[in-house]
Amino acid sequence: MTSSMEWIRRYYDVPARHRMRIEYDGKPATIVGTRGPYLAFRVDGEKRIRWDHPTYRIVYPAVPEPARPRGWCEHCTKDRAMTKDGVMGEHRWSGRNWSEPCPGSGKPPWKPVRNQTHPGEQVAS
Ligand SMILES: [Zn+2]
């Protein structure tokens, strides 16, 4: 089972993680989880938890580029390191046997891992 947070990262090209500090509608907030396809977070100073679309009025922090580019493996759908040649590095997967490399190793990624900071609609300034 993949986590919803991973699904959000993969689907929306954002770096969402538990406890990440974000801005929502211009206000500082902390990610506390997911609600289905939505991101759950608590705006600083508020008791209630809000949730909203992962690219709606959310600004993510800039995440440094990894030393090696990463891609989403087409086979196991995981975020894995890529080689200099732009294919998925060899990695294990949980399909049948941990001792076998994932069949997606050495193949092009489904798409590169991206960490967008302003992925969608934002408050008009
Ligand atoms: Zn894989």
Side-chain angles (χ1 to χ4, degrees):
M1 247 336 251
T2 57
S3 73
S4 301
M5 199 69 83
E6 182 178 55
W7 183 87
I8 286 172
R9 290 197 294 274
R10 187 168 68 235
Y11 199 81
Y12 295 109
D13 297 322
V14 297
R17 297 207 180 260
H18 281 277
R19 293 189 294 279
M20 175 176 263
R21 297 283 289 159
I22 57 171
E23 258 185 38
Y24 175 73
D25 207 12
K27 298 185 271 287
T30 304
I31 295 175
V32 297
T34 57
R35 293 285 186 282
Y38 295 104
L39 205 55
F41 48 88
R42 191 192 306 271
V43 172
D44 285 11
E46 290 188 0
K47 282 209 171 99
R48 72 189 180 102
I49 288 171
R50 300 179 184 234
W51 51 92
D52 212 331
H53 190 280
T55 65
Y56 183 70
R57 296 193 167 183
I58 291 174
V59 178
Y60 295 88
V63 173
E65 289 296 324
R68 282 171 73 183
R70 300 182 71 84
W72 293 104
C73 176
E74 178 135 42
H75 186 85
C76 65
T77 74
K78 296 289 182 186
D79 167 350
R80 295 287 185 251
M82 289 164 59
T83 70
K84 293 191 298 290
D85 306 319
V87 296
M88 300 305 296
E90 187 169 312
H91 58 278
R92 309 288 153 190
W93 71 306
S94 56
R96 267 171 294 176
N97 185 340
W98 278 102
S99 68
E100 287 178 12
C102 173
S105 303
K107 304 226 170 85
W110 175 56
K111 64 180 180 181
V113 172
R114 298 188 60 210
N115 293 314
Q116 297 191 96
T117 54
H118 293 68
E121 184 174 340
Q122 300 299 333
V123 189
S125 52

